[in-house]
Amino acid sequence: MADHLASIFGTEKDRVNCPFYFKIGACRHGDRCSRLHTKPGISPTLLLSNMYQRPDMITPGVDAQGNPIDPRKIQEHFEDFYEDLFEELNKYGEIESLNICDNLADHMVGNVYVQYREEEEAADALRNLSGRFYAGRPIIVDFSPVTDFREATCRQYEENSCNRGGYCNFMHLKRINRELRRQLFGRYSRRHSRSRSRSPYRRKSYDYDDRDHGRSRSSKRDDDRGSYYESRSRRHRSTSPDHKRGRSRSPSGRRGRGSPDREGSEERRAKIEQWNREKEEAAKMQTDTGNNKDHAHSNGPSHQQGYGY
């Protein structure tokens, strides 16, 4: 049951919460609405109700004296208000979007929606704007449940085909020129690009670290490994019996360039026989020496023999 209520929250199927208030932050029925208008306790979006006063508030395109107003003057008036408001709201945090309704219905006329990057920034703006005035009128500010303006905006208005005009229940958001938008919001992109870019000193140290530490992780480790194996092979060649005898350890038994030819099998057998004879003679000499010692021990005093030895 709880999952079902969560899935339909803020939709037309929700019989408890008002879907228009959830999407737009305002409802044409106001307090008389049969559904709840639950205000969020915290939100990145603030609603400044009925803050923007159009020059043609009474009749579109006509001023209070009934004189027609040049559309360019209306746009200029709006952009002056937009820039002035942006500079004030920017004091409290980074602004993701600043939208002003062009609707004429009482619950939406002049509504200003400012969405900050962080909820804490919106809360700070709420504290500082509460109780203040603009153009002699009090500022009515509160948290708004609107976070996705694509669902709140009238798509037909963006295509200049909305039949309901200024009394449409979805947002008709007035646009500013590209130059002004680039001037206001471009400061954030420049700020982010500066924070992402490295300073010259850091770039220099980073490159130096790449050359040093990067090499110590890869190339230097390979060099150490190569020197280790090279020294190990050098030690192995210098201590191996084959190396002492000047023979190669390769399977083919060939030596390096410039080395003499390998000795033949007959020479090899002759050397072995010579080693055996030398070994037998050495053993025989050791035996004779032992016999002489026993004979001297039997013929003389033990202490003199021990002393003379």
Side-chain angles (χ1 to χ4, degrees):
M1 184 63 180
D3 296 338
H4 174 69
L5 294 177
S7 62
I8 65 174
F9 178 79
T11 64
E12 294 294 338
K13 297 180 180 180
D14 190 352
R15 299 302 178 183
V16 178
N17 301 283
C18 178
F20 270 98
Y21 181 81
F22 180 75
K23 291 181 179 180
I24 305 174
C27 176
R28 61 189 179 93
H29 299 292
D31 297 336
R32 301 187 306 272
C33 184
S34 60
R35 303 182 188 182
L36 296 178
H37 295 172
T38 304
K39 295 182 179 180
I42 187 68
S43 174
T45 307
L46 295 179
L47 168 61
L48 289 73
S49 301
N50 310 121
M51 186 173 181
Y52 174 59
Q53 299 291 307
R54 296 168 46 131
D56 54 345
M57 183 67 66
I58 300 176
T59 305
V62 179
D63 61 11
Q65 288 75 28
N67 300 320
I69 304 177
D70 188 352
R72 292 177 295 182
K73 294 292 184 181
I74 297 177
Q75 183 66 21
E76 183 180 353
H77 177 273
F78 169 71
E79 291 182 353
D80 290 341
F81 170 80
Y82 191 101
E83 183 177 2
D84 184 37
L85 182 61
F86 186 96
E87 296 297 341
E88 177 64 26
L89 296 175
N90 183 58
K91 297 178 181 178
Y92 311 111
E94 181 175 344
I95 299 175
E96 287 284 336
S97 60
L98 178 60
N99 299 310
I100 301 176
C101 292
D102 197 27
N103 303 68
L104 297 176
D106 293 338
H107 67 289
M108 296 186 69
V109 59
N111 281 0
V112 175
Y113 297 85
V114 53
Q115 185 176 19
Y116 285 94
R117 189 177 183 87
E118 303 292 341
E119 294 178 347
E120 292 77 8
E121 298 171 343
D124 187 25
L126 177 64
R127 288 190 297 268
N128 286 274
L129 294 175
S130 297
R132 295 177 58 182
F133 291 78
Y134 183 83
R137 301 173 62 249
I139 299 176
I140 304 174
V141 57
D142 207 343
F143 288 117
S144 174
V146 181
T147 55
D148 188 357
F149 288 92
R150 293 174 299 179
E151 296 184 357
T153 304
C154 177
R155 296 180 178 84
Q156 294 177 350
Y157 172 77
E158 294 179 346
E159 299 173 356
N160 297 322
S161 61
C162 181
N163 297 326
R164 302 178 68 89
Y167 294 93
C168 180
N169 290 323
F170 288 90
M171 294 182 184
H172 288 189
L173 301 180
K174 289 184 69 67
R175 304 297 180 187
I176 59 176
N177 62 71
R178 294 182 179 179
E179 183 179 356
L180 180 59
R181 177 168 294 277
R182 188 182 304 109
Q183 175 185 346
L184 297 178
F185 289 93
R187 67 187 69 180
Y188 299 131
S189 60
R190 291 192 296 270
R191 183 186 307 171
H192 293 322
S193 63
R194 286 196 300 268
S195 63
R196 286 192 297 266
S197 63
R198 298 185 293 265
S199 63
Y201 175 79
R202 174 151 180 93
R203 181 166 57 252
K204 182 178 180 180
S205 62
Y206 181 80
D207 294 339
Y208 174 80
D209 292 341
D210 280 348
R211 292 193 301 267
D212 187 12
H213 297 292
R215 188 175 183 273
S216 64
R217 288 192 298 267
S218 59
S219 301
K220 190 175 181 180
R221 184 171 59 244
D222 295 339
D223 294 344
D224 294 341
R225 185 182 301 157
S227 61
Y228 168 75
Y229 285 117
E230 183 179 359
S231 60
R232 184 182 179 187
S233 60
R234 189 180 297 115
R235 291 196 304 270
H236 185 78
R237 289 195 301 269
S238 61
T239 57
S240 61
D242 293 335
H243 180 74
K244 292 179 180 180
R245 288 191 292 269
R247 246 191 3 259
S248 172
R249 291 180 53 86
S250 60
S252 60
R254 296 180 181 177
R255 303 187 62 185
R257 294 180 181 179
S259 61
D261 296 336
R262 182 180 178 181
E263 58 186 9
S265 57
E266 296 181 357
E267 297 177 356
R268 179 65 175 170
R269 284 196 297 270
K271 285 187 177 183
I272 293 175
E273 293 177 359
Q274 182 179 355
W275 292 340
N276 292 334
R277 286 195 302 270
E278 292 176 356
K279 188 182 297 184
E280 292 176 358
E281 293 177 357
K284 184 177 180 181
M285 292 177 61
Q286 185 176 2
T287 303
D288 295 341
T289 303
N291 294 334
N292 294 333
K293 289 180 180 180
D294 295 340
H295 181 70
H297 179 72
S298 60
N299 292 332
S302 58
H303 65 279
Q304 292 180 359
Q305 179 65 29
Y307 177 81
Y309 180 75

